[in-house]
Amino acid sequence: MPELPEVETTRRGITPHCLNQSVAKIVIRQPKLRWPIPQRIKKILLGESLNKIERRGKYILLSFNCGTVLIHLGMSGSLRILPAEVPPAKHDHFDMLFNNGLCLRFHDPRRFGSILFTKDDPASHKLLSSLGPEPLSSDFTAEYLFEKSRNKTVNIKQLIMNSKIVVGVGNIYASEALFLAGIHPQRIAGKISKQRYQRLSETIKSVLTEAIAQGGTTLRDFTSSDGKPGYFSQKLNVYGRAGQSCPQCGSAIKNSVIAQRASFYCGKCQR
DNA sequence: AATCGCGCCTGACGGC
DNA sequence: TGCCGTCAGGCGCGAT
């Protein structure tokens, strides 16, 4: 259920439980995710200490001396920390058990997620090497977005959801950031002014920052058995609110399909 | 080179 | 109650 805020919240939630712990066992129940889980990690990681837990875009990176495990949650994936003896439920495809008696468990009904391994620098991995900047980093600026958008004929919603342009902006927060910036989701990216990109770069940062703070309050307890996704409680202005009144002008929020994805906006506030 | 739309899966929900 | 169609927060890949 992951956009960047939930992936980051997940990373923060699991870290205190498994950082610097060593791997006691790996269990692969269903290797068929988006790509097969490499079986070799069952042996390779045994006894290895988990040195770092980082995030790149929507990937969680578990780094060991011998290499890095890359985890992507897809559409329906989640990670949770549990006592090792808790029996697996349906769709619990993968466990990483640690010497402290805890288990990092991957759950994913739709199996669009992935668990991969690389011995090399993960930044050079095929799936990470062409990713754009982190939206909350200083590399992501109005100038950057403006330059990247020049001569682009795609609409602005697709541009900001393109991970080669900027990582971590999913379908919900693309709609939300465009609403806050007053930009219509169908506007051609290459024709938007630098001034409007200034506003958009700021709303992307603010909406993600607030969502992380929100996720942090409701996803805090990663050792409980009923972890609920944090940002259902997030105050969304337009996403999922087709037909309801715009919080700014009161006119009805629209929902149109852009690139096979539902896109919510106010036709009056967003131009 | 850039853009498009397909398809990987399961589950929830609404209409009949 | 059950069946069927639709939709879902992602994203790489092949076709154009």
Side-chain angles (χ1 to χ4, degrees):
Chain A
M1 352 268 275
E3 295 209 22
L4 184 148
E6 193 168 36
V7 177
E8 176 59 19
T9 303
T10 295
R11 187 192 69 79
R12 294 180 187 183
I14 66 174
T15 294
H17 303 287
C18 46
L19 184 64
N20 297 323
Q21 299 297 321
S22 59
V23 175
K25 192 180 182 184
I26 299 277
V27 179
I28 302 173
R29 295 186 197 83
Q30 169 56 282
K32 293 180 184 175
L33 303 182
R34 176 153 201 194
W35 293 283
I37 301 176
Q39 296 288 338
R40 68 182 189 281
I41 65 175
K42 287 197 279 193
K43 287 185 179 176
I44 292 175
L45 295 179
L46 221 53
E48 290 277 318
S49 174
L50 177 45
N51 298 325
K52 261 187 313 185
I53 306 175
E54 297 171 296
R55 180 186 57 74
R56 178 73 177 102
K58 293 175 188 168
Y59 289 88
I60 289 174
L61 281 55
L62 309 179
S63 75
F64 300 86
N65 285 341
C66 63
T68 305
V69 174
L70 312 180
I71 300 176
H72 196 291
L73 302 177
M75 290 271 263
S76 59
S78 60
L79 284 173
R80 187 176 315 152
I81 297 288
L82 297 163
E85 62 271 18
V86 175
K90 195 176 184 183
H91 305 305
D92 285 346
H93 305 312
F94 174 91
D95 287 349
M96 183 178 288
L97 296 124
F98 297 98
N99 279 347
N100 63 0
L102 296 178
C103 166
L104 178 66
R105 180 164 286 172
F106 177 83
H107 174 90
D108 187 6
R110 292 177 74 179
R111 289 192 271 125
F112 288 176
S114 52
I115 297 176
L116 298 168
F117 180 78
T118 178
K119 290 185 175 192
D120 307 321
D121 177 8
S124 61
H125 188 277
K126 187 184 178 187
L127 293 173
L128 302 186
S129 60
S130 59
L131 292 180
E134 290 289 328
L136 300 180
S137 75
S138 56
D139 294 340
F140 182 66
T141 62
E143 290 71 27
Y144 168 82
L145 208 45
F146 179 74
E147 293 305 327
K148 278 288 183 183
S149 68
R150 293 308 89 182
N151 301 319
K152 290 279 197 302
T153 59
V154 285
N155 61 65
I156 186 60
K157 179 160 182 270
Q158 284 182 274
L159 185 88
I160 62 174
M161 288 181 69
N162 181 348
S163 63
K164 291 180 180 174
I165 303 294
V166 56
V167 297
V169 181
N171 202 36
I172 293 179
Y173 293 110
S175 280
E176 293 297 311
L178 288 168
F179 171 77
L180 293 172
I183 300 172
H184 192 290
Q186 296 271 32
R187 190 145 296 277
I188 300 303
K191 295 182 177 176
I192 296 174
S193 71
K194 193 167 188 174
Q195 193 172 21
R196 304 192 81 197
Y197 274 115
Q198 181 63 45
R199 181 107 178 265
L200 182 58
S201 63
E202 289 165 4
T203 63
I204 288 172
K205 286 173 190 282
S206 66
V207 79
L208 293 175
T209 301
E210 280 184 41
I212 290 171
Q214 181 81 12
T217 61
T218 48
L219 267 180
R220 192 173 32 201
D221 187 4
F222 272 73
T223 58
S224 83
S225 55
D226 58 358
K228 288 281 182 198
Y231 52 90
F232 277 131
S233 58
Q234 165 90 10
K235 183 80 180 163
L236 299 171
N237 284 296
V238 289
Y239 188 85
R241 297 190 183 278
Q244 298 179 29
S245 55
C246 167
Q248 279 177 25
C249 76
S251 68
I253 291 165
K254 295 179 179 174
N255 174 12
S256 68
V257 175
I258 299 173
Q260 292 88 244
R261 309 299 298 276
S263 306
F264 300 89
Y265 63 97
C266 172
K268 195 172 169 189
C269 295
Q270 293 174 253
R271 300 289 177 168

